[in-house]
Amino acid sequence: MPRNVMVFVEDELNDAYEILVRKAMGLPLDINPGARIRVVRVTQDELTDYNNLLDLSQRALRSGAQQVVFCMDHEGPGADSGRVQARRQFQEAFRGLCDHIERLSPNDPLKNMLLVRVEVHTCLESWLLSDPPAIARAAGDYSYIPPARQTHLLPPHQARQNIAHILNEVGRRRSKRHLRRISASAVRSWGHRIAREMDIVNARRYNFSLDYFCAMIETNQNGCEQTFPDPPE
């Protein structure tokens, strides 16, 4: 049965997340079959503080959400010290939230909330790059099939460069000047178009954090019990 899901993310351009939730749930993209899916932008500070996570969870509960997903960009092994510290604080804050809910009485409404913590390895663009042919399809080329590879270790700038390269190649193949000129900094606006074209089943094979995100939503799981996994070697 469709359920209400709220996703908290750092990204300002975050339409792609709603599309990925719908794909994970097996829902159509253009109609509402009963589920209410909301994606809300939050700050890093909100994701790294226990009290803020609790407040976000309570707000989501009041809005009717049954599952809440907190997403923070990982930014890769080359991330600055501030991001590394933020990732650790995010994990600790979420653990504190889970401990708090564990202590609640069984009749507390928050007790039934499904909570999920996801580190997006290494950024949304890395998730989108896990299905390279979807990028070509988003640009109007259904015959170009660039090869897929694991994307969870790609630094964000490299993921964006790779997406731009595919769009540039479509521009070259299709004689579309505007695509040939797209830069890595411009690919953020392509997120929702690429997400709509993604074969989510295949894409999940190439990014473990995307796979976890989809699995938790698809199977209605609680991240306090099924914690976010360590990245593969």
Side-chain angles (χ1 to χ4, degrees):
M1 179 179 179
R3 64 189 180 283
N4 299 335
V5 179
M6 183 171 287
V7 185
F8 292 106
V9 302
E10 295 180 275
D11 298 79
E12 181 177 6
L13 299 177
N14 52 41
D15 292 351
Y17 284 96
E18 178 177 345
I19 295 170
L20 293 174
V21 170
R22 288 183 173 275
K23 284 180 176 281
M25 296 175 73
L27 300 177
L29 302 183
D30 297 315
I31 61 174
N32 189 343
R36 184 171 181 230
I37 301 164
R38 290 187 61 200
V39 180
V40 179
R41 186 189 183 193
V42 292
T43 66
Q44 178 179 294
D45 288 343
E46 288 178 287
L47 292 175
T48 55
D49 181 83
Y50 154 73
N51 289 315
N52 287 334
L53 288 189
L54 177 59
D55 180 64
L56 292 174
S57 301
Q58 292 169 333
R59 284 166 47 192
L61 180 66
R62 290 193 296 270
S63 73
Q66 297 155 303
Q67 185 176 45
V68 177
V69 185
F70 302 104
C71 295
M72 174 182 281
D73 287 347
H74 184 273
E75 295 192 359
D80 61 35
S81 58
R83 177 57 54 165
V84 173
Q85 181 180 9
R87 295 194 311 242
R88 184 180 67 252
Q89 292 172 331
F90 181 37
Q91 182 177 15
E92 293 171 352
F94 185 78
R95 187 182 302 118
L97 177 62
C98 292
D99 291 343
H100 169 76
I101 291 178
E102 177 66 25
R103 294 190 297 267
L104 294 175
S105 64
N107 60 349
D108 191 300
L110 200 58
K111 191 81 170 180
N112 296 320
M113 177 72 75
L114 300 174
L115 302 170
V116 181
R117 182 186 74 90
V118 179
E119 290 183 17
V120 182
H121 278 248
T122 54
C123 58
L124 175 61
E125 287 78 16
S126 291
W127 281 10
L128 302 175
L129 189 60
S130 64
D131 187 0
I135 301 169
R137 292 194 295 270
D141 192 330
Y142 288 79
S143 62
Y144 175 37
I145 306 178
R149 60 169 174 153
Q150 295 294 321
T151 65
H152 64 269
L153 292 178
L154 285 178
H157 72 275
Q158 188 173 344
R160 294 176 193 125
Q161 287 173 351
N162 289 358
I163 291 174
H165 175 75
I166 294 172
L167 295 173
N168 297 160
E169 179 62 17
V170 171
R172 187 191 66 79
R173 290 163 57 95
R174 298 287 177 171
S175 298
K176 295 182 178 181
R177 183 179 301 177
H178 70 287
L179 291 177
R180 294 202 304 267
R181 294 178 174 176
I182 287 177
S183 65
S185 61
V187 302
R188 292 175 184 269
S189 63
W190 281 76
H192 68 288
R193 283 176 279 188
I194 297 170
R196 290 183 69 90
E197 296 293 338
M198 287 177 69
D199 176 349
I200 199 66
V201 174
N202 188 60
R204 289 169 60 174
R205 297 167 50 201
Y206 295 100
N207 191 297
F208 84 98
S209 63
L210 173 61
D211 182 54
Y212 177 82
F213 173 86
C214 292
M216 298 301 285
I217 293 169
E218 175 187 38
T219 58
N220 204 24
Q221 292 190 61
N222 189 342
C224 292
E225 300 168 357
Q226 186 68 29
T227 58
F228 185 76
D230 292 328
E233 296 295 333

